[in-house]
Amino acid sequence: MSQRRGPASAGVPGPVRRRGAPPAVRAWAQALGAALAGIVTMSVVAALGLWAAGAADLPGGAFPSVVAATVLVAAGGSVGLSGDVGGLAQADAALDVVPLSVTLAGALVTAALFLLPLRHRAVAGTGELLARVARTAVCWLVLLLLLTLAARHNFKITVGNDLADRIGAELGATPTVGFRAEVPATLGAGLLWILALLASAFLVSRRAPLSPGLLRFQDSVRPPAFAMLLTLLCYVAIGLVIGIVELITKDHPAETFAVMFLGLPNLAWMALGIGTGGAWVGHVDKAIGLPLPHVLDQVLRAHGKRTLDLGAVAGYDGRAWLLVAVAAVVLLVAAFTAAVRSPARRPAWRHAVEMAVALAVTLLAVGLLTRISAHYGLSLMGLGDLGGDLGGEVTLEPQLLRLVGVGLAWGLVTGFLGALPARRVRHPGAVEKP
């Protein structure tokens, strides 16, 4: 009696079924992983910077709340400050500054993980790409919403005198100041932030797939966009090296460490703007916890608003003229890289125009991201600021038209010069003649 043998026993392999999560579940897991990794990275960087700045010693266990608020601000969110000092006194507080070290770290991690599943594809459907963006944005907003629940705290302010504090308590004028995340503004700005980040990731990455309708734009957009990313990261790397030297040679390592983990790109990208001829206008009244380099503090700490440009900085430190040389070298390398990544036979004037537009947009973004507006004041019965450590102001506003103008000028020159030697280099997709 013959025994019937199945396909496996006959030596013929049967169909292989892959076991695993359904595609929809995997897609959501990838979106959540990218968003969660970005938030965790931002939280770690913010915690290290705030710890170095002394925020771990804040009363009432406020450190986690301050970290959450810092991450929200770095992701485009809004945190409101409020004061409650009873009927006899008034408190006025405002803080508008982006910790770009936290922003940059989260942006790089989120963008890298978002693009990771797409790295082996050249073309993808518009619907698929929009669905990936939408899933990541939803996960991002949910995580931001959770952070808003933790980003709130109140502090009691003392004037440094026990008798005065007791009198203030009896009169109902004990000052307190607190912060609280503004949920609608945070979610709205956070949505714009994540959408801008993912769009920038597609603009910069040469390996990210595009929908068929956008393929004709990649040769003119992606090379200069990558050149701008290279420029910004080069300046951050230079600032990191300078910061490490400061840590080794100076006597204030905690302050330097705090600046590196909170505001290194703020200073590095301002150096790019100043080195190319851009300017900011600002004023430092009293230090209120925002660490500034000594030379910037000297320029801005004066009566009235001062212009922060190359001439003003060089008046206090002649080494500031090196910023021009650094800008020239970095931008020429970036322009050369953009030209090499572009199709061969593209005329040098077109490289110059593309570089000019890209650099102007980049310096405009730098100006908007590096503005500072910080103030805290306490008045009693309308008699104005009480002075001491209870009031201070730091303002820094970019001259946007000037930044855009110098960006266009430098982009035209460096784009043209960088394209000339690129003609002798083999471009991607070029075929060598036999």
Side-chain angles (χ1 to χ4, degrees):
M1 186 172 181
S2 62
Q3 185 178 3
R4 186 177 240 173
R5 303 174 65 186
S9 60
V12 179
V16 178
R17 295 183 178 179
R18 295 183 178 178
R19 295 182 178 180
V25 175
R26 285 200 307 271
W28 277 103
Q30 292 169 354
L32 179 60
L36 184 59
I39 292 294
V40 170
T41 301
M42 296 171 78
S43 300
V44 171
V45 174
L48 289 173
L50 292 169
W51 169 78
D57 299 328
L58 290 173
F63 185 66
S65 300
V66 175
V67 172
T70 303
V71 173
L72 288 179
V73 173
S78 178
V79 176
L81 301 179
S82 60
D84 182 9
V85 291
L88 295 179
Q90 292 181 340
D92 179 26
L95 179 63
D96 182 13
V97 56
V98 181
L100 289 180
S101 293
V102 181
T103 302
L104 180 62
L108 292 176
V109 171
T110 302
L113 292 182
F114 174 80
L115 295 176
L116 187 61
L118 303 171
R119 65 190 184 281
H120 297 306
R121 303 173 57 182
V123 180
T126 303
E128 179 189 356
L129 295 179
L130 290 178
R132 285 183 175 273
V133 170
R135 285 190 292 266
T136 305
V138 169
C139 294
W140 185 262
L141 292 180
V142 171
L143 294 174
L144 289 186
L145 182 60
L146 294 176
L147 282 176
T148 60
L149 302 178
R152 57 184 66 186
H153 199 83
N154 289 319
F155 301 94
K156 178 182 177 181
I157 301 175
T158 62
V159 299
N161 184 291
D162 293 338
L163 178 59
D165 291 337
R166 289 198 299 269
I167 294 175
E170 292 294 332
L171 294 177
T174 300
T176 61
V177 65
F179 62 88
R180 181 183 297 269
E182 299 174 354
V183 178
T186 294
L187 296 182
L191 177 61
L192 294 178
W193 189 93
I194 189 66
L195 292 179
L197 170 63
L198 299 182
S200 300
F202 281 108
L203 289 178
V204 171
S205 176
R206 187 167 56 182
R207 296 184 178 180
L210 293 174
S211 61
L214 297 177
L215 288 176
R216 63 181 183 272
F217 298 109
Q218 65 176 347
D219 291 335
S220 59
V221 174
R222 280 183 165 175
F226 178 81
M228 292 302 98
L229 175 64
L230 179 64
T231 299
L232 296 177
L233 293 182
C234 280
Y235 267 84
V236 172
I238 294 171
L240 183 61
V241 172
I242 296 174
I244 293 175
V245 173
E246 288 277 328
L247 282 174
I248 298 174
T249 60
K250 302 297 182 180
D251 298 330
H252 42 80
E255 181 179 341
T256 302
F257 197 80
V259 171
M260 291 171 61
F261 276 87
L262 292 176
L264 179 59
N266 300 64
L267 300 176
W269 297 344
M270 281 181 60
L272 168 63
I274 293 173
T276 53
W280 281 254
V281 176
H283 173 65
V284 174
D285 180 17
K286 298 174 184 176
I288 57 175
L290 295 178
L292 292 175
H294 182 63
V295 62
L296 298 187
D297 185 76
Q298 284 183 313
V299 174
L300 298 176
R301 192 182 293 274
H303 296 291
K305 291 188 176 181
R306 295 288 303 274
T307 299
L308 180 65
D309 57 8
L310 188 61
V313 177
Y316 288 90
D317 190 342
R319 294 174 297 179
W321 293 106
L322 292 174
L323 295 177
V324 180
V326 173
V329 172
V330 173
L331 291 177
L332 283 173
V333 171
F336 172 80
T337 304
V340 169
R341 283 173 162 251
S342 300
R345 300 181 181 276
R346 175 164 292 186
W349 68 264
R350 184 168 175 179
H351 288 295
V353 172
E354 292 173 355
M355 186 74 175
V357 174
L359 185 56
V361 172
T362 299
L363 289 181
L364 175 64
V366 166
L368 294 174
L369 290 173
T370 54
R371 62 200 315 169
I372 298 175
S373 177
H375 169 77
Y376 180 71
L378 181 65
S379 61
L380 187 63
M381 293 185 292
L383 296 180
D385 209 345
L386 292 181
D389 294 327
L390 300 179
E393 183 180 18
V394 177
T395 61
L396 195 63
E397 293 291 334
Q399 293 185 344
L400 296 178
L401 290 179
R402 182 169 172 177
L403 285 169
V404 171
V406 298
L408 290 173
W410 277 77
L412 285 172
V413 175
T414 57
F416 186 85
L417 296 178
L420 298 180
R423 296 178 178 177
R424 305 175 184 176
V425 180
R426 183 180 178 184
H427 293 238
V431 179
E432 292 183 351
K433 294 182 180 181

